[in-house]
Amino acid sequence: MDFLRATFILSLFIGGFPAPTDAASPGDVTIYRDVWGVPHIYGDSPEAAVYGHGYAQAQDRLDDILTLYTFVQGKAAKFFGPRFVQQDYETQLARHPEVARSGYPSLAPDTRRLIEFYIRGIHDYIREHPDARPEWADMPRPYDVVSLYRFFIWDWPWGQALEDLKHAGSHVADGRGSNQWVVSASRSAEGGPIALIDPHLTWNPANRFYESHVHGGDLHFYGFSIVGTPFMALGHTDVFSLSATTGGPDCADVYEEKINPDNPLQYEYDGQWRDIQVEEIDIEVHTQEGVQIVTRKIERTHHGPIVKRKDNRAYAVKTAYDNEVGMIDQWLDMIKAQNLGEFLLAVSQNQSLPQNLMYADIHGNTYYVRAGRVPVRPKGTWDSPMPGWTSNSEWQGIHPLSDLVQVLNPGIGFMQNCNIAPGAMMPYSSLNAKPYLHYIYNDRPTRTNERGRRALQLLETHPKLTLQQATDIALDTFVLKSDMWQQALDAAFKAHPTPYSHLQTPVQILLEWDGRMDIDSKGASIFSFWIRACRKPEYRVSRQQIERGRDLGGGAQRALLKALDDAVQEMQRTIGKVVVPWGDIHRAQRGTRSWPVAGFSREGINTLRSVNSQLPDENGISYVHGGQFCTTVVLLKKDGIVSYSATPYGQSNHAESTHFTDQGELLFSKGRLKPTWYQKEDMLKRVKSKTSLKVPSTP
């Protein structure tokens, strides 16, 4: 910790952040596209580069950009129907449009200037292609970018508050999952640290980030941006890599308000009655009969919006991000950082959403912080609603970066966080809970999961990790403790062969299975149906007993075999056969095309290659709708960063484009990553198209 503080202070004396950009002409920009359609954008200035980024995003995904901007304005129901009424209500509840508009002038001048040139790039594409903009879509405005950042991050702190409301403790088990790890130069066979960036989210437009290279002036990055925003969210610069996984300090609370029994629109505070602010909002809704109005009421105390009433109590949510827009400033400063000190100075702005951030750089540093904008709270237990009727419960500021859980260059030489507690990130982890406030650590110290255990297992196996081994770990499909299920099945079948002799073939396939959910695996197919049947209440198969290696009694063994019989019948009914490759029934789909996908994340089973699929349809096919979406392996060396990546679909939203599904079919399906060709000389050998643009002198 002392070294971190020293590095932070040193950065104050070595120049801090770059001076504001001169308002001179931004020059020109060239958008090169490689064989995968990924844009490599080279501008004469940062303004030119982000202008090109806006233009390129509009070329590929203008529909997503305009849809998301409509969402963040709270107007989705007006154009897309009744199912968006609740979303529009929540957008107004969080005040995203209002805070974005009012807070936009407070952003740093450089940040605003780059946002405005980015928006100008989108505008100019639309002017050149007027038919590409739907009639319902407004022309984008700079503060839409701010609102979109808020819209994207909101589920994390809001989810923490709702967990408090349910008295569910501090850990938010909300279905989000991601993987990240870094290996130091001392454990790398490649001459520098190796990092994995591997977030997992549902593949909807907001979560399916935009892949790009952006270069101009002091702005250089490759990675994945929220489509409709100018800067990478995850990826690497010339200097460092950055990944994030769900998990972090507690950045939100619920306040229990005492309601005046004689006036339900008043609440008590320090012995006085205060008025509840009441606002009625009209939500326009598109229907077959035309646009209709749905009126909703929003009630607020000084703590925040009321989300629940019960008897003479009301519950108001307060997050540390309620009035914030500065995440964009912080992220831009992080991207421009040239060393660890500048990176820490940027992170110290405390605008990060609650996430595990992991960093590695070309100088050999590896760093982790459990980041977030964390309120300083009075003493007490803050994982349930707090007394809202007294000023003694009010927040007292924001914790500085130095108070957060973090580690620099761990001696073991590697660390991972696949949505686990800091204490389980590495062998002999020094990140125990004792030195930290409970709401900063915000987890059980040893809490882990299958992905965390498997990542540690593989990282420990390789004292000198190669890039190929790193890729293999990133895309690993092994089901941890599958051998325990095989042992239990073997014992059960040997104990009860006669009644279940008809299961000989599926039993033999399962016992010979290598435990991997690969697309050509027949054992994986049977296992997926069997594990789901085991969860049915009529069988009550104890996963815990099996995976701890405990012997099953006769009744439990028969239940295990009955579940397998159930699974076989279900496969026969839906697929028409039992012996079927996993990739035939576990697939991604876009438009009219589909392709096999390895890995699994359902029924309580999670491989490192985490992909979320729906339950099997009437034909027994499960279609993948989320999980890994921008898996990237990065090698960080002073003579140039090298990276490899793949996405589940392709670069373009245009169904007629060869880049609509090419990465999905040729890379994602086959368990491969492509070179990103970050270095310009490598990219120029793979150019498929080139677009040169004159950037306007003003946005």
Side-chain angles (χ1 to χ4, degrees), residues 410-476:
I412 195 78
F414 65 89
M415 53 183 164
Q416 58 82 29
N417 196 304
C418 302
N419 310 115
I420 61 171
M425 285 171 49
M426 64 197 99
Y428 317 110
S429 174
S430 62
L431 299 178
N432 59 75
K434 190 174 181 179
Y436 300 98
L437 293 168
H438 71 278
Y439 60 79
I440 286 180
Y441 198 87
N442 200 32
D443 215 328
R444 300 190 317 274
T446 59
R447 185 188 62 80
T448 189
N449 56 35
E450 288 179 320
R451 288 177 289 110
R453 293 187 190 98
R454 180 62 173 165
L456 278 186
Q457 183 184 84
L458 294 175
L459 291 169
E460 284 187 280
T461 301
H462 301 294
K464 287 291 184 180
L465 189 73
T466 66
L467 277 171
Q468 184 56 57
Q469 290 165 342
T471 300
D472 292 343
I473 295 172
L475 304 177
D476 180 68

Side-chain angles (χ1 to χ4, degrees), residues 183-321:
V183 170
S184 69
S186 66
R187 290 185 67 97
S188 166
E190 307 288 355
I194 301 176
L196 172 69
I197 303 163
D198 188 22
H200 310 153
L201 291 170
T202 305
W203 297 341
N204 60 38
N207 294 339
R208 195 163 50 82
F209 291 4
Y210 185 80
E211 182 178 5
S212 57
H213 301 247
V214 176
H215 302 273
D218 58 355
L219 190 66
H220 298 275
F221 63 81
Y222 162 77
F224 295 84
S225 311
I226 303 167
V227 69
T229 69
F231 311 127
M232 78 169 193
L234 304 169
H236 67 77
T237 69
D238 290 350
V239 177
F240 67 88
S241 65
L242 177 65
S243 61
T245 66
T246 291
D250 187 356
C251 300
D253 287 311
V254 172
Y255 284 89
E256 181 178 343
E257 314 284 16
K258 289 182 179 179
I259 300 300
N260 186 345
D262 298 322
N263 184 350
L265 295 180
Q266 288 185 327
Y267 67 104
E268 182 182 340
Y269 189 72
D270 282 348
Q272 303 291 323
W273 294 117
R274 290 190 174 188
D275 291 335
I276 292 173
Q277 299 175 15
V278 181
E279 176 189 6
E280 286 194 347
I281 60 170
D282 291 335
I283 301 172
E284 296 182 88
V285 185
H286 174 78
T287 70
Q288 291 182 342
E289 292 75 32
V291 175
Q292 297 182 357
I293 302 297
V294 173
T295 300
R296 291 282 189 92
K297 183 170 65 175
I298 296 175
E299 298 179 326
R300 300 182 193 274
T301 71
H302 73 282
H303 291 121
I306 292 173
V307 295
K308 180 180 179 180
R309 280 182 178 260
K310 184 178 181 181
D311 301 325
N312 285 332
R313 292 288 189 270
Y315 298 88
V317 170
K318 182 176 183 179
T319 86
Y321 306 88

Side-chain angles (χ1 to χ4, degrees), residues 344-627:
L344 292 176
L345 190 60
V347 175
S348 71
Q349 296 174 46
N350 288 318
Q351 294 287 337
S352 299
L353 69 162
Q355 292 278 286
N356 300 294
L357 298 185
M358 201 167 281
Y359 163 106
D361 68 29
I362 61 174
H363 306 295
N365 293 305
T366 60
Y367 171 72
Y368 162 84
V369 61
R370 197 164 170 82
R373 184 172 178 81
V374 191
V376 178
R377 297 166 167 103
K379 290 183 179 180
T381 302
W382 287 82
D383 56 4
S384 60
M386 297 302 294
W389 53 84
T390 170
S391 56
N392 293 331
S393 299
E394 298 294 349
W395 294 348
Q396 299 167 354
I398 299 295
H399 280 279
L401 174 63
S402 57
D403 285 353
L404 305 187
V405 182
Q406 56 196 292
V407 65
L408 174 66
N409 297 328
I412 195 78
F414 65 89
M415 53 183 164
Q416 58 82 29
N417 196 304
C418 302
N419 310 115
I420 61 171
M425 285 171 49
M426 64 197 99
Y428 317 110
S429 174
S430 62
L431 299 178
N432 59 75
K434 190 174 181 179
Y436 300 98
L437 293 168
H438 71 278
Y439 60 79
I440 286 180
Y441 198 87
N442 200 32
D443 215 328
R444 300 190 317 274
T446 59
R447 185 188 62 80
T448 189
N449 56 35
E450 288 179 320
R451 288 177 289 110
R453 293 187 190 98
R454 180 62 173 165
L456 278 186
Q457 183 184 84
L458 294 175
L459 291 169
E460 284 187 280
T461 301
H462 301 294
K464 287 291 184 180
L465 189 73
T466 66
L467 277 171
Q468 184 56 57
Q469 290 165 342
T471 300
D472 292 343
I473 295 172
L475 304 177
D476 180 68
T477 64
F478 183 73
V479 175
L480 205 63
K481 298 188 177 180
S482 56
D483 56 331
M484 299 293 190
W485 286 88
Q486 291 168 314
Q487 290 173 24
L489 177 63
D490 189 33
F493 193 66
K494 286 177 178 176
H496 309 279
T498 303
Y500 300 99
S501 59
H502 61 289
L503 297 179
Q504 178 67 48
T505 296
V507 167
Q508 192 64 33
I509 291 173
L510 282 170
L511 294 181
E512 293 175 356
W513 177 46
D514 63 2
R516 295 185 178 278
M517 305 297 287
D518 291 331
I519 59 176
D520 58 354
S521 172
K522 300 172 180 65
S525 300
I526 300 173
F527 180 75
S528 71
F529 275 82
W530 180 39
I531 205 75
R532 186 169 67 258
C534 284
R535 292 164 63 92
K536 292 183 177 180
E538 58 261 42
Y539 304 126
R540 297 182 181 177
V541 174
S542 172
R543 176 182 174 185
Q544 186 178 66
Q545 197 170 0
I546 290 172
E547 294 187 353
R548 289 183 177 179
R550 295 174 180 170
D551 292 335
L552 301 180
Q557 287 183 332
R558 285 189 291 273
L560 196 67
L561 292 168
K562 287 178 182 178
L564 180 57
D565 195 13
D566 184 312
V568 167
Q569 292 182 48
E570 180 69 9
M571 293 181 75
Q572 291 283 11
R573 184 183 69 80
T574 57
I575 306 169
K577 55 186 175 181
V578 176
V579 181
V580 56
W582 179 231
D584 285 7
I585 61 171
H586 191 250
R587 304 180 68 80
Q589 183 179 45
R590 195 178 198 199
T592 60
R593 305 184 68 87
S594 76
W595 52 93
V597 175
F600 194 58
S601 183
R602 209 181 62 226
E603 323 297 357
I605 302 296
N606 291 279
T607 60
L608 276 176
R609 188 185 203 169
S610 180
V611 285
N612 308 108
S613 55
Q614 300 165 340
L615 290 172
D617 63 13
E618 65 276 9
N619 299 311
I621 300 175
S622 297
Y623 287 102
V624 179
H625 59 85

Side-chain angles (χ1 to χ4, degrees), residues 9-34:
I9 293 168
L10 177 62
S11 68
L12 297 175
F13 294 96
I14 59 176
F17 297 118
T21 305
D22 193 308
S25 173
D28 300 333
V29 63
T30 300
I31 303 171
Y32 302 94
R33 290 191 181 264
D34 63 29

Side-chain angles (χ1 to χ4, degrees), residues 127-143:
R127 290 188 184 101
E128 294 171 14
H129 306 83
D131 293 341
R133 178 167 71 104
E135 291 182 2
W136 50 262
D138 294 334
M139 288 294 280
R141 297 156 298 193
Y143 55 79

Side-chain angles (χ1 to χ4, degrees), residues 99-116 142-147 149-150 230-231 323-333 349 351:
V99 174
R101 282 193 298 268
S102 64
Y104 184 76
S106 70
L107 294 175
D110 275 0
T111 304
R112 295 200 309 272
R113 182 170 169 82
L114 293 182
I115 289 173
E116 288 159 15
Y143 55 79
D144 290 332
V145 172
V146 181
S147 197
Y149 273 109
R150 285 178 54 88
F231 311 127
N323 300 302
E324 299 300 314
V325 297
M327 183 182 177
I328 312 172
D329 278 337
Q330 175 179 317
W331 231 253
L332 178 58
D333 290 340
Q349 296 174 46
Q351 294 287 337

